[in-house]
Amino acid sequence: MKLNQPQVHSFQVDSNDTPTTISTLDDDQEKQQDVKRELKKRHISMIALGGTIGTGLFLGIARPLIIAGPIGALIAYLFMGTVVFSVTQSLGEMCTFIPVTASFTVFAQRFLSPAFGAANGYMYWFSWAMTFALELSVVGQIIQFWTMAVPLAAWISIVWVLLTISNLFPVRIYGEIEFWIASVKVLAILGFIIYGICIICGAGVTGPVGFRYWKNPGPWGMGIISSNVNEARFFGWVSSLINAAFTFQGTELVGITAGEVQEPRKTVPKAIKKVVFRILVFYIGSLLVIGLLVPYNDPKLQSNDSYVSSSPFIITIQNAGTKILPHIFNAVILITIISAGNSNVYIGSRILYGLAKNKAAPKFFTNTSKAGVPYVTVLFTSMFGSLAYMETTTGGDKAFTWLLNIVGVAGFFAWLLISCSHIRFMKALKQRGISRNDLPYKAMLMPWLAYYAVFFMVIIIVIQGFTSFAPKFKVANFFAAYISVFLFIIFWVAFQIWFKCRLVWKLQDVDLDTDRRDIEEEVWSDDVEDKNKNWWDRFWNYVA
């Protein structure tokens, strides 16, 4: 069933809380300012698989392993994986129905309120702009695994320029770069898991390992805060749960690309379905293998010799006695960080572009090149890479770390508002008499999974800074953990006053129509486009 095609319009909120149609750009000008749908199926499929594999996996799982142990960390990541699955199911249904750039910030604006959408968008954009600076500062530190000859500032400058330039090329170039880099990451993780299984069975210098380290030193880790062993282990598990939530951030990347994907109503659902595979194989599979091969009390997990010296992946290989492989895996981590920096600029620029398109940011941010690249938002987002130089100054590294802590919770708000938007989306569909069975993609177990995600995301946002309260309250740690919550509230209140809008749209005022007409016209040509693809595209679509 093809839904009725409404007239595309945009809304402005007046003081009476009634959306009124305002004049829009003429068709030629609108087309000139739009991004282009040039990401292919294989691009989005591989980005969905490997796009978020980064420092959170390669380096970030060391702490959960130490404080929660192999079993505690595994349970934490499995549990958090269910929340991520719930969020991506909600996102998939909405961005397949309305595939628009910066989708979930747009959905918050249309399904909840303009104030929620703008607050969510700015927080999310700032978090990725800051993360870009982090990736730049990390590249040189990873290279220091091999040599200290080149100053850190030089590596920051080189990579900063290269990544800025790469994001000024058409989006298909970004897709091609990410496709091959994601392929390297996927192959590296699968190869590591196979390698790990071989070591567990006795291929390394340690002989058959089996479940040796689950017995001694044990499966539960050292814990934190409390002197009582059981309490300490519970707090360690809670901390690992929060760490897992940070690690999984970025799984919503598919929603950002929805506005630039070819055949989104076929491609996006397939990408969303890969989330389960990615969580189980890459995160849970890697953590299971590492938990069997690296004891939680291994001193190398807390090593400061180099940035990657504490990576459980490299420690696993070193403990097994394989000589060359640590260098190869360090190269994989280096490629991963560069790829992550490339994605940071892409994500941040599209979020800012989406805000401008929906009149929540200055209009000049909608300017695009002839190739459909929003070059103004690319350059503006990339400017924040200069903050990476703080890592090279005395005292600047502490300020830089504090800034990163400020924006760390922004992704949690994005997940929360995705689920809230989906709840309102489902209610609006029902109010319009549209059956979810007729949608291009129907999310599983709804609305229960959406409520499930909302419940646990609220809890995680509230408790994520619990270590600042114990064993002794630390004011600096408290503000580092919760200032992002205060900033979100400030943004929301400011935009609530700016837009003079309701706290939440009335169901009859929810905008389900804008950006939907054009894509529904394209759906009819999908089968023809499939037949016109060359053998190369058909082969990689199958592989991806």
Side-chain angles (χ1 to χ4, degrees):
M1 173 180 177
K2 187 176 179 182
L3 302 174
N4 293 331
Q5 296 176 359
Q7 294 297 314
V8 177
H9 55 274
S10 59
F11 291 117
Q12 181 176 359
V13 182
D14 61 26
S15 58
N16 296 321
D17 301 331
T18 303
T20 57
T21 305
I22 62 175
S23 60
T24 56
L25 298 171
D26 60 69
D27 290 342
D28 292 338
Q29 189 177 359
E30 187 70 31
K31 288 179 182 177
Q32 187 178 9
Q33 289 186 331
D34 276 344
V35 294
K36 298 183 183 298
R37 294 190 179 277
E38 294 187 344
L39 287 177
K40 299 180 179 180
K41 284 184 180 180
R42 62 184 177 87
H43 294 157
I44 194 66
S45 295
M46 196 57 73
I47 289 172
L49 278 178
T52 56
I53 298 175
T55 53
L57 177 61
F58 289 127
L59 303 174
I61 61 175
R63 177 169 170 76
L65 186 61
I66 294 170
I67 64 177
I71 294 294
L74 196 63
I75 294 172
Y77 274 73
L78 276 170
F79 178 78
M80 203 61 226
T82 64
V83 177
V84 172
F85 174 75
S86 305
V87 171
T88 53
Q89 283 292 302
S90 292
L91 180 61
E93 183 168 295
M94 292 186 293
C95 69
T96 305
F97 185 69
I98 307 176
V100 61
T101 301
S103 59
F104 52 83
T105 59
V106 175
F107 297 151
Q109 181 171 351
R110 295 182 187 176
F111 304 157
L112 297 175
S113 77
F116 275 120
N120 184 28
Y122 277 103
M123 285 289 292
Y124 195 74
W125 165 78
F126 187 57
S127 72
W128 285 106
M130 286 301 305
T131 305
F132 175 57
L134 170 66
E135 308 293 5
L136 290 179
S137 70
V138 164
V139 168
Q141 297 178 60
I142 291 176
I143 296 175
Q144 288 174 351
F145 182 80
W146 295 305
T147 178
M148 305 284 286
V150 180
L152 182 60
W155 290 120
I156 292 173
S157 301
I158 292 169
V159 178
W160 186 17
V161 171
L162 290 176
L163 294 184
T164 301
I165 292 174
S166 71
N167 272 275
L168 294 174
F169 284 102
V171 70
R172 67 177 181 275
I173 304 299
Y174 165 80
E176 202 66 34
I177 292 171
E178 286 304 304
F179 173 81
W180 291 109
I181 292 179
S183 300
V184 170
K185 290 190 282 187
V186 167
L187 291 174
I189 296 296
L190 293 176
F192 174 82
I193 292 173
I194 295 171
Y195 168 85
I197 292 172
C198 294
I199 300 302
I200 292 169
C201 294
V205 296
T206 55
V209 177
F211 292 88
R212 177 191 308 173
Y213 300 127
W214 286 22
K215 296 179 181 178
N216 183 24
W220 297 112
M222 297 181 290
I224 56 173
I225 298 177
S226 178
S227 58
N228 180 281
V229 175
N230 292 328
E231 286 183 358
R233 287 174 175 172
F234 172 75
F235 287 132
W237 182 81
V238 172
S239 181
S240 297
L241 191 69
I242 296 166
N243 188 281
F246 280 109
T247 301
F248 283 130
Q249 284 192 15
T251 49
E252 68 282 352
L253 175 61
V254 174
I256 303 296
T257 63
E260 297 178 89
V261 177
Q262 296 175 358
E263 308 171 45
R265 292 200 165 163
K266 286 186 175 182
T267 305
V268 174
K270 292 179 180 178
I272 291 295
K273 291 174 182 176
K274 289 181 173 67
V275 170
V276 177
F277 177 82
R278 178 174 59 194
I279 291 172
L280 290 178
V281 174
F282 300 141
Y283 290 95
I284 305 305
S286 297
L287 192 56
L288 177 61
V289 169
I290 287 171
L292 289 170
L293 290 174
V294 180
Y296 71 76
N297 61 353
D298 191 318
K300 291 192 288 293
L301 288 171
Q302 301 185 61
S303 171
N304 293 317
D305 291 343
S306 68
Y307 189 80
V308 295
S309 61
S310 62
S311 169
F313 287 83
I314 290 181
I315 294 172
T316 296
I317 298 169
Q318 290 174 336
N319 289 351
T322 308
K323 298 296 183 182
I324 305 299
L325 200 53
H327 297 278
I328 296 175
F329 222 87
N330 192 62
V332 171
I333 296 175
L334 176 61
I335 293 171
T336 295
I337 299 302
I338 295 174
S339 167
N342 194 39
S343 294
N344 296 154
V345 178
Y346 172 81
I347 297 168
S349 65
R350 269 48 177 190
I351 289 291
L352 199 54
Y353 172 82
L355 287 168
K357 289 283 286 185
N358 285 275
K359 299 176 176 58
K363 185 178 177 180
F364 65 83
F365 281 135
T366 63
N367 292 339
T368 59
S369 66
K370 292 181 179 179
V373 177
Y375 62 91
V376 178
T377 60
V378 167
L379 294 174
F380 186 76
T381 302
S382 179
M383 284 172 53
F384 283 76
S386 60
L387 294 173
Y389 292 110
M390 294 174 67
E391 190 72 16
T392 66
T393 61
T394 303
D397 56 340
K398 294 181 180 179
F400 186 42
T401 301
W402 201 76
L403 285 172
L404 290 171
N405 288 336
I406 290 176
V407 302
V409 185
F412 297 161
F413 279 107
W415 289 357
L416 173 63
L417 292 179
I418 287 171
S419 299
C420 291
S421 297
H422 189 224
I423 292 170
R424 294 287 294 173
F425 171 76
M426 288 184 284
K427 290 181 177 180
L429 288 176
K430 186 176 181 180
Q431 194 267 344
R432 296 274 188 96
I434 301 173
S435 172
R436 291 180 57 239
N437 293 323
D438 296 327
L439 299 183
Y441 176 74
K442 182 181 179 181
M444 297 170 56
L445 302 175
M446 290 297 171
W448 312 115
L449 279 185
Y451 285 113
Y452 172 81
V454 167
F455 176 77
F456 281 108
M457 287 318 304
V458 169
I459 289 178
I460 288 173
I461 289 172
V462 171
I463 71 169
Q464 50 85 24
F466 78 97
T467 53
S468 63
F469 294 94
K472 182 181 178 181
F473 180 70
K474 302 179 182 66
V475 176
N477 291 351
F478 172 80
F479 278 103
Y482 289 102
I483 196 170
S484 55
V485 179
F486 302 140
L487 280 175
F488 182 87
I489 294 172
I490 292 169
F491 273 128
W492 175 72
V493 171
F495 282 111
Q496 192 73 35
I497 297 171
W498 175 267
F499 287 113
K500 299 179 182 178
C501 57
R502 295 175 57 89
L503 294 180
V504 178
W505 287 116
K506 294 178 181 179
L507 281 179
Q508 61 266 31
D509 294 336
V510 168
D511 180 10
L512 295 175
D513 302 329
T514 305
D515 297 310
R516 207 183 81 195
R517 181 180 62 181
D518 292 342
I519 192 60
E520 293 201 341
E521 290 174 351
E522 293 177 14
V523 169
W524 297 105
S525 64
D526 286 351
D527 293 336
V528 176
E529 291 178 10
D530 278 340
K531 293 177 182 178
N532 291 336
K533 291 185 185 301
N534 58 41
W535 67 268
W536 175 260
D537 281 335
R538 289 197 298 270
F539 169 75
W540 282 112
N541 283 343
Y542 176 78
V543 172

